[in-house]
Amino acid sequence: MAKRRLNRQQKWRIEKIQEERAARASRRDRDIDRQLQAGELGDEQSGLIIAHFGKQIDVEALEGEHRGEVIRCHVRANLGSLVTGDRVVWCPGSNDLGVIVALQERDNLLQRPDKFGQLKPVAANIDQIILVIAPEPEPHDNLIDRYLVAAENCDITPVLLLNKTDLIHDGNRADIEALLDRYALLGYRIEQTSAHKAPEDDRTIDNLLKEQTSVFVGQSGVGKSSIIRRLLGDESIRIGAVSESTGKGVHTTTTARLFHLDCGGNLIDSPGIREFGLWHMDVAHLEYGFREIRPLIGTCRFRNCRHQSEPGCALLEAEEKGEISLERMQSFRRIYTEIENSDW
């Protein structure tokens, strides 16, 4: 995704908005300091961000007399960007509001670019990214690999979930099985399910999510919203049917939010997360994101090897030996070329 160049008027508008935000943040911080000095805030305690609404954040209390309750909190401006899934330190305040005073260390951070190409954090402390694919729309290595590269670089465990297994037939069975086998051989966990099965007949999703904080990603039309609606029973998520003519689906949700599931796990969901994929990556990130290529980094004869047809290329040798599949190597080269031709 190339960065958009801003014209003079857009730059002025952004600067003006930033100035106004800074002024509001300064006023909030002065009010928080006044409350601290006056002893109006309660004791510091741990909390979990479960939703973000502009300058106010919903925090679930993890200890103390408010444990299990959700408290709407203000946040100090010097803490930077806070996101759903962050573990924080907060203090109870007046009028049933709290104040977030510190951010605890993150295990990982999921980011995506905004419309100007700037990275924007969307969620933190995720245990697994569940990449949903389906027989229709047809899954392709290149799209799958984009998600996997991004997940590997975020240090989040990816899982491939084949949904809509009821759409497998003799015409597509061999291709789908071959695709899944390629990723299973690389050590990726593979699961299969169908949203059309009754929950009591298929515990695949519940077992996958149990005791984990998860997000669902994948291209439109693979059934992410159907799975999430079944998990949450939330009628606010509208399910878009796959178009017979285009094979594409549509869906709408709202802001990023953390949900506690009946199976004992957590789900973080938002449109920005579902669109998570390969942005802001350079060649080093790409090489690291391919598990079978990672051990070969730096072993080519030439330091500036592009892994196309150069002599002494370790990747070409591995491909010839069958250590890297043809499909994965083609996918790697395609993404490599796009990175070279982009402004990432």
Side-chain angles (χ1 to χ4, degrees):
M1 175 177 174
K3 295 182 179 179
R4 287 178 52 186
R5 288 183 171 82
L6 306 180
N7 60 37
R8 184 178 300 176
Q9 184 177 13
Q10 289 173 322
K11 290 179 179 178
W12 177 84
R13 288 180 60 190
I14 291 174
E15 290 174 357
K16 182 175 177 61
I17 291 171
Q18 290 175 338
E19 289 175 358
E20 292 174 349
R21 288 176 176 172
R24 289 195 298 269
S26 179
R27 289 194 295 270
R28 282 196 303 273
D29 273 5
R30 287 197 298 270
D31 184 56
I32 291 171
D33 288 337
R34 180 194 60 76
Q35 294 181 60
L36 284 168
Q37 294 173 4
E40 297 176 4
L41 296 181
D43 295 334
E44 293 183 352
Q45 49 194 286
S46 296
L48 174 68
I49 294 180
I50 64 169
H52 200 303
F53 304 99
K55 294 302 178 182
Q56 291 190 328
I57 293 175
D58 277 358
V59 174
E60 179 183 351
L62 299 180
E63 59 182 344
E65 63 177 307
H66 297 287
R67 180 174 181 144
E69 297 180 18
V70 176
I71 312 296
R72 182 64 57 90
C73 292
H74 295 293
V75 58
R76 303 205 69 160
N78 62 351
L79 295 184
S81 296
L82 300 180
V83 295
T84 301
D86 269 329
R87 297 181 290 263
V88 296
V89 177
W90 71 285
C91 298
S94 57
N95 300 321
D96 296 324
L97 292 174
V99 176
I100 297 174
V101 296
L103 169 65
Q104 299 185 42
E105 185 176 358
R106 289 167 170 159
D107 297 329
N108 48 54
L109 180 65
L110 197 62
Q111 301 182 92
R112 68 181 299 268
D114 60 20
K115 61 183 179 180
F116 300 112
Q118 301 298 315
L119 285 183
K120 177 182 178 181
V122 292
N125 302 316
I126 298 165
D127 294 315
Q128 58 183 3
I129 291 177
I130 301 174
L131 170 54
V132 184
I133 59 176
E136 298 175 12
E138 181 183 355
H140 295 284
D141 292 74
N142 187 248
L143 181 63
I144 293 172
D145 291 338
R146 290 171 176 272
Y147 285 105
L148 295 180
V149 167
E152 296 278 2
N153 277 277
C154 289
D155 196 27
I156 304 174
T157 301
V159 178
L160 269 68
L161 175 65
L162 177 65
N163 189 29
K164 302 185 180 181
T165 53
D166 51 295
L167 297 180
I168 296 176
H169 50 76
D170 291 342
N172 61 17
R173 189 183 311 278
D175 288 340
I176 292 174
E177 290 179 350
L179 181 143
L180 296 180
D181 286 345
R182 281 197 293 276
Y183 291 101
L185 287 172
L186 292 171
Y188 288 108
R189 180 177 176 181
I190 311 293
E191 298 290 347
Q192 301 187 33
T193 190
S194 174
H196 293 290
K197 292 183 180 179
E200 60 271 17
D201 297 331
D202 185 357
R203 307 295 297 178
T204 301
I205 302 296
D206 287 351
N207 293 335
L208 180 59
L209 300 178
K210 188 176 182 179
E211 298 180 358
Q212 302 288 312
T213 297
S214 309
V215 299
F216 284 94
V217 302
Q219 70 182 116
S220 180
V222 295
K224 300 183 300 294
S225 294
S226 297
I227 293 172
I228 293 169
R229 184 179 66 174
R230 191 174 77 178
L231 287 167
L232 304 179
D234 187 350
E235 294 301 325
S236 68
I237 300 179
R238 298 187 303 173
I239 307 304
V242 176
S243 167
E244 293 181 1
S245 59
T246 65
K248 296 181 180 180
V250 295
H251 66 259
T252 58
T253 55
T254 54
T255 185
R257 189 172 184 89
L258 186 146
F259 301 92
H260 296 306
L261 305 175
D262 292 339
C263 63
N266 297 321
L267 170 67
I268 298 178
D269 184 54
S270 81
I273 290 175
R274 296 189 200 181
E275 295 168 6
F276 168 78
L278 182 62
W279 302 284
H280 69 273
M281 296 289 178
D282 55 24
V283 170
H285 287 114
L286 175 63
E287 293 174 338
Y288 181 86
F290 275 68
R291 288 185 174 182
E292 67 274 48
I293 291 175
R294 193 178 307 164
L296 303 176
I297 294 175
T299 62
C300 295
R301 182 185 303 174
F302 301 106
R303 293 180 60 183
N304 61 344
C305 182
R306 297 177 60 253
H307 318 301
Q308 302 295 324
S309 58
E310 296 83 352
C313 174
L315 274 62
L316 293 178
E317 294 175 3
E319 183 183 9
E320 291 175 358
K321 295 177 183 177
E323 296 170 358
I324 303 176
S325 72
L326 173 63
E327 294 83 2
R328 286 273 284 180
M329 198 64 206
Q330 289 176 338
S331 178
F332 175 85
R333 290 195 180 102
R334 189 176 297 118
I335 300 172
Y336 191 110
T337 300
E338 290 177 8
I339 290 176
E340 283 189 319
N341 297 330
S342 74
D343 294 327
W344 289 335

